Amino acid sequence: MAHADQVSRSALATLAAEIGELLDGAGLGEGVAPAPPAAEGRRRAGARVAGTRDALSADAAGGARESEAAELVETFAVWTLDARALLAPARGGGAARKSGAKKSGGVKSAAKPGALKALARPTGRWHHQIKVGGRAAAFARSSGPKLKLDSASLRGLFVAPLARKIEAAVVWIDENEPDARDGVRDPVVRLLAVPSRQLHAFWLLDEREGTSEVIVVDAPARFDSAGRGRRLLGESEFFELLRRSRPVRGLD
């Protein structure tokens, strides 16, 4: 069974309180309930934000007017990938020489198993899903490399379609990843952003083997349709899709 990076429950409770205070200004009720017990799942560790907000309820229910409770649910570490690394010529020695990549076409080395782990970088930020009435409606972002109680800091709250797309991908992973048992991998799930392609994906990293798979969560319509379905992509296929897609002007 896939899982997210472990986070501090006390930090999540603090963030839930901050989010609750922020939403209070838009009609959210008072109070924060305790974080759910660990038995509810490693990926779904979070804290409930008590109260209601009409705008969030309408977004979650497709126009419903009634107010419903908001809940802070999944939390994922946010990593980033500079797609330019896939196009940069390889320099002598190292992985490029071992892989047999030519100096003028070093992208071959980026397709080797473990390349995504080597190229992705942590942003020091965390993504927090927010549900209203049981449906994804918004998300928050915080900073703090280890989400410690004394370092977590709320950076923003967003009502955006990305929340629903991430929820759909979470459900897909839950339904398609096998339960952890002998001989079955237990990958860590991280949210991967590729700014130059305006793309978000879930990165499933097998920490034991050092290999990765990716499921595209959100990408522009121009992005190759082969990567937009609910399926896992290997590193080579994911990199090839990025190379074939056009970067956003000013971000390449």
Side-chain angles (χ1 to χ4, degrees):
M1 175 65 72
H3 66 278
D5 289 279
Q6 293 185 355
V7 295
S8 163
R9 290 177 60 199
S10 59
L12 289 173
T14 300
L15 288 168
E18 290 186 54
I19 293 170
E21 291 175 2
L22 186 62
L23 293 178
D24 274 341
L28 194 76
E30 297 181 356
V32 176
E40 288 191 23
R42 295 165 67 184
R43 188 177 329 125
R44 294 185 177 276
R48 182 176 298 277
V49 184
T52 59
R53 182 183 176 187
D54 293 339
L56 289 181
S57 296
D59 185 76
R65 294 183 179 180
E66 66 274 10
S67 297
E68 297 177 292
E71 183 181 11
L72 185 64
V73 284
E74 298 93 355
T75 288
F76 301 99
V78 181
W79 287 58
T80 187
L81 175 66
D82 185 350
R84 292 176 297 182
L86 306 178
L87 304 175
R91 297 184 179 177
R97 179 177 297 169
K98 292 178 182 178
S99 66
K102 297 179 180 179
K103 186 175 182 180
S104 60
V107 294
K108 288 184 180 180
S109 62
K112 294 185 65 177
L116 182 53
K117 181 181 178 182
L119 294 173
R121 296 289 180 266
T123 64
R125 300 217 168 187
W126 297 81
H127 174 100
H128 311 277
Q129 284 285 101
I130 297 174
K131 285 186 176 181
V132 175
R135 298 183 63 184
F139 63 89
R141 291 285 173 89
S142 68
S143 64
K146 296 182 179 179
L147 266 189
K148 292 182 178 179
L149 181 62
D150 59 354
S151 63
S153 177
L154 184 65
R155 294 298 182 184
L157 178 65
F158 310 89
V159 179
L162 179 61
R164 294 193 297 273
K165 294 176 180 179
I166 285 178
E167 175 63 15
V170 167
V171 171
W172 189 94
I173 291 172
D174 283 341
E175 293 177 347
N176 289 275
E177 271 293 309
D179 292 332
R181 57 181 181 271
D182 291 342
V184 176
R185 67 189 189 131
D186 182 25
V188 60
V189 181
R190 291 165 176 163
L191 185 61
L192 182 68
V194 186
S196 66
R197 302 303 192 268
Q198 293 184 316
L199 179 145
H200 285 86
F202 271 138
W203 169 27
L204 282 69
L205 170 64
D206 187 325
E207 295 178 291
R208 183 175 56 185
E209 300 294 334
T211 57
S212 302
E213 290 181 303
V214 172
I215 179 171
V216 175
V217 173
D218 184 37
R222 66 178 180 274
F223 193 77
D224 193 313
S225 60
R228 300 175 67 85
R230 285 286 174 261
R231 67 186 184 92
L232 290 173
L233 307 176
E235 292 179 84
S236 296
E237 186 176 6
F238 178 58
F239 289 157
E240 185 59 30
L241 289 170
L242 291 178
R243 292 189 197 105
R244 292 205 305 261
S245 65
R246 297 191 306 274
V248 179
R249 183 165 304 199
L251 295 178
D252 53 347

